[in-house]
């Protein structure tokens, strides 16, 4: 029997590897599995959730390189594909979900929208050139105004990564 290996511990969360799956434990864990699975079935850039129970989420182990390590060896074109094109594809998926969920493309300002509330580079692993978001419990329903603020903040982070590592930082020279 394989013992659980502690991968990280921060504040009120612990992440383990049990030899097959990644297990994340934290208090007050909530994930709208039905909504998350909508995305997981349509987009290959999400970690697959195996099980969700009180305070625990079990997910597939994704091999690859964390974005913050990968960016040092990526070409400007690779960085553009992830930081700009991929990020835009993720943002568009939020609107596609809302259209599917409400049967209209129009979003009422008092509505909530389901999205990745922590869609930042630190939650992405690059697997054979493909970005995959980790941290499924970051997916949440939030009011429209908070959604807009959060995606603008995340957008700036992604753009800064592209500018810094494709055009300003010279890690390979």
């Amino acid at each position: 029997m394989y013992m659980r290996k502690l991968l990280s511990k921060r504040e009120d969360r612990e992440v383990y590897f049990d030899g097959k799956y990644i297990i994340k434990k934290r208090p007050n864990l909530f994930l709208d599995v039905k909504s998350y699975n909508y995305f997981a079935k349509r987009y290959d850039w999400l970690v697959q959730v195996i099980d969700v129970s009180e305070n625990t989420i079990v997910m597939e182990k994704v091999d690859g390189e964390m974005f913050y390590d990968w960016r040092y060896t990526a070409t400007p074109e690779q960085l553009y594909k992830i930081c700009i094109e991929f990020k835009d594809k993720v943002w568009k998926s939020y609107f596609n979900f809302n259209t599917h969920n409400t049967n209209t493309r129009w979003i009422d300002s008092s509505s909530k929208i389901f999205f990745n509330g922590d869609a930042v580079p630190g939650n992405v692993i690059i697997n054979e050139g493909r970005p995959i978001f980790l941290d499924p419990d970051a997916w949440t329903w939030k009011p429209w105004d908070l959604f807009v603020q959060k995606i603008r903040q995340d957008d700036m982070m992604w753009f800064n990564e592209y500018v810094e590592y494709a055009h300003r930082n010279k890690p390979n020279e």
Side-chain angles (χ1 to χ4, degrees), residues 38-101:
Y38 172 89
F39 282 90
K41 287 177 187 170
R42 286 158 182 80
Y43 305 105
D44 66 352
W45 40 261
L46 286 173
V47 64
Q48 295 296 312
V49 171
I50 308 303
D51 187 41
V52 178
S53 58
E54 185 178 343
N55 302 332
T56 304
I57 189 164
V58 179
M59 62 198 105
E60 72 175 325
K61 180 183 183 307
V62 178
D63 293 318
E65 190 174 15
M66 292 304 296
F67 176 86
Y68 284 143
D69 296 325
W70 173 84
R71 68 187 176 181
Y72 291 113
T73 58
T75 67
E77 292 77 20
Q78 289 171 317
L79 284 161
Y80 186 86
K81 270 184 102 71
I82 303 298
C83 297
I84 307 300
E85 291 178 357
F86 167 68
K87 181 266 310 164
D88 285 349
K89 192 170 26 172
V90 172
W91 281 204
K92 186 173 184 317
S93 75
Y94 303 151
F95 293 100
N96 290 345
F97 174 77
N98 187 74
T99 298
H100 168 80
N101 198 43

Side-chain angles (χ1 to χ4, degrees), residues 87-147:
K87 181 266 310 164
D88 285 349
K89 192 170 26 172
V90 172
W91 281 204
K92 186 173 184 317
S93 75
Y94 303 151
F95 293 100
N96 290 345
F97 174 77
N98 187 74
T99 298
H100 168 80
N101 198 43
T102 62
N103 294 319
T104 180
R105 67 183 179 137
W106 305 108
I107 301 171
D108 184 281
S109 64
S110 64
S111 297
K112 289 188 175 185
I113 189 164
F114 187 73
F115 69 105
N116 184 339
D118 201 13
V120 297
N123 284 330
V124 171
I125 193 165
I126 306 296
N127 177 304
E128 298 179 7
R130 271 183 44 242
I132 300 172
F133 272 109
L134 307 174
D135 202 18
D137 53 311
W139 285 78
T140 185
W141 286 95
K142 293 286 183 192
W144 171 254
D145 59 337
L146 294 178
F147 162 73

Side-chain angles (χ1 to χ4, degrees), residues 2-19:
Y2 187 86
M3 298 292 290
R4 285 186 179 176
K5 177 182 173 185
L6 180 65
L7 299 177
S8 71
K9 185 174 185 171
R10 231 179 0 168
E11 298 162 7
D12 60 350
R13 73 173 176 90
E14 297 175 348
V15 180
Y16 297 91
F17 177 59
D18 73 355

